[in-house]
Amino acid sequence: MPTAPQTAKESLTQRGMRLTRQRQILLDLLDKTGQHLDADRLYALAREKDPKLNRVTVYRTLKLLKEGGLVDELDLMHQRGEQHFYETRKKEEHAHVICLECGKVEEFFGEPLAKLREQIETMFQFQIALVRTEVGGYCAHCRLERERKSA
Ligand SMILES: [Zn+2]
Ligand SMILES: [Zn+2]
C-alpha cells in the first residue's frame, strides 16, 4: 500500500534525525539535477554552495540520507568499479538500463514495473520494501561498434 508522501524533514524526524543545512544542500542537489551522481561529483557541487563543506561530511551525510530513506544508492552494474551513485527517492520508480561498454544510463519508467511488483508480492506473499531494477547491455551506438569490430 502506498504511503503518504512525506517531506524530507518528516522522514528524517521520524528516524530521530534533523534536517541540517548540509543534508538539505545534498538533497536539493539530487532533486534538482535528477541525475545519478557519484559522491565526488556531489562533493564538488556541494562545495559551490558551501565552501566550508569537507569530503568526510559529504560522505557521512550521504550515508545518513540513505539510511533515512531519502536517497538511493546505486552501483549501476559497477560500470565505474566500486564507485556508487546517488539519486533522490522522490523520483517515480524506474529501472536503470546501463550500457556495459560506454556506461550510458537510461531510465525506464512505466507500468511493467508496477506489474512486476504486484506479481512478486502475490507469488511469494512478499511485502516489498525496496525495488532496484538494473538491466545491462549495449546501447545502439555501442552495438554498431561491436558489430563493426567483429565483422
Ligand atoms: Zn554504449
Ligand atoms: Zn535513476
Side-chain angles (χ1 to χ4, degrees):
M1 191 162 290
T3 47
Q6 281 183 320
T7 63
K9 205 175 167 182
E10 284 166 355
S11 190
L12 287 178
T13 313
Q14 234 176 37
R15 293 167 169 89
M17 290 152 66
R18 284 182 312 123
L19 187 60
T20 61
R21 199 176 120 69
Q22 300 101 293
R23 290 171 197 169
Q24 186 68 65
I25 288 176
L26 290 184
L27 276 175
D28 285 348
L29 282 171
L30 286 165
D31 283 346
K32 251 179 241 140
T33 62
Q35 285 176 11
H36 314 104
L37 300 169
D38 61 51
D40 284 340
R41 183 83 189 105
L42 264 169
Y43 169 61
L45 291 170
R47 281 277 299 236
E48 287 171 17
K49 309 252 174 216
D50 182 354
K52 277 182 297 204
L53 274 178
N54 65 55
R55 193 178 291 265
V56 176
T57 310
V58 169
Y59 277 69
R60 201 189 297 135
T61 305
L62 276 172
K63 191 165 172 270
L64 264 163
L65 292 174
K66 194 180 84 172
E67 287 164 5
L70 294 169
V71 159
D72 252 343
E73 187 178 43
L74 316 160
D75 61 44
L76 297 177
M77 299 245 163
H78 292 284
Q79 269 307 286
R80 286 206 256 153
E82 285 311 298
Q83 203 156 30
H84 285 185
F85 302 85
Y86 300 86
E87 80 178 340
T88 173
R89 273 276 185 94
K90 267 194 193 165
K91 266 201 212 174
E92 202 191 316
E93 190 173 317
H94 57 280
H96 291 113
V97 181
I98 303 138
C99 178
L100 300 172
E101 189 81 37
C102 68
K104 187 165 127 185
V105 181
E106 305 274 16
E107 292 185 326
F108 173 82
F109 293 86
E111 207 196 341
L113 291 175
K115 280 231 176 77
L116 179 71
R117 211 179 236 274
E118 271 171 36
Q119 287 183 8
I120 290 171
E121 290 192 321
T122 310
M123 188 177 290
F124 302 107
Q125 295 295 302
F126 198 75
Q127 186 191 7
I128 296 179
L130 172 77
V131 179
R132 199 165 286 154
T133 315
E134 291 190 347
V135 179
Y138 302 97
C139 73
H141 172 80
C142 294
R143 262 182 76 183
L144 278 176
E145 287 295 306
R146 286 165 66 84
E147 277 165 27
R148 197 170 300 156
K149 267 183 219 155
S150 65

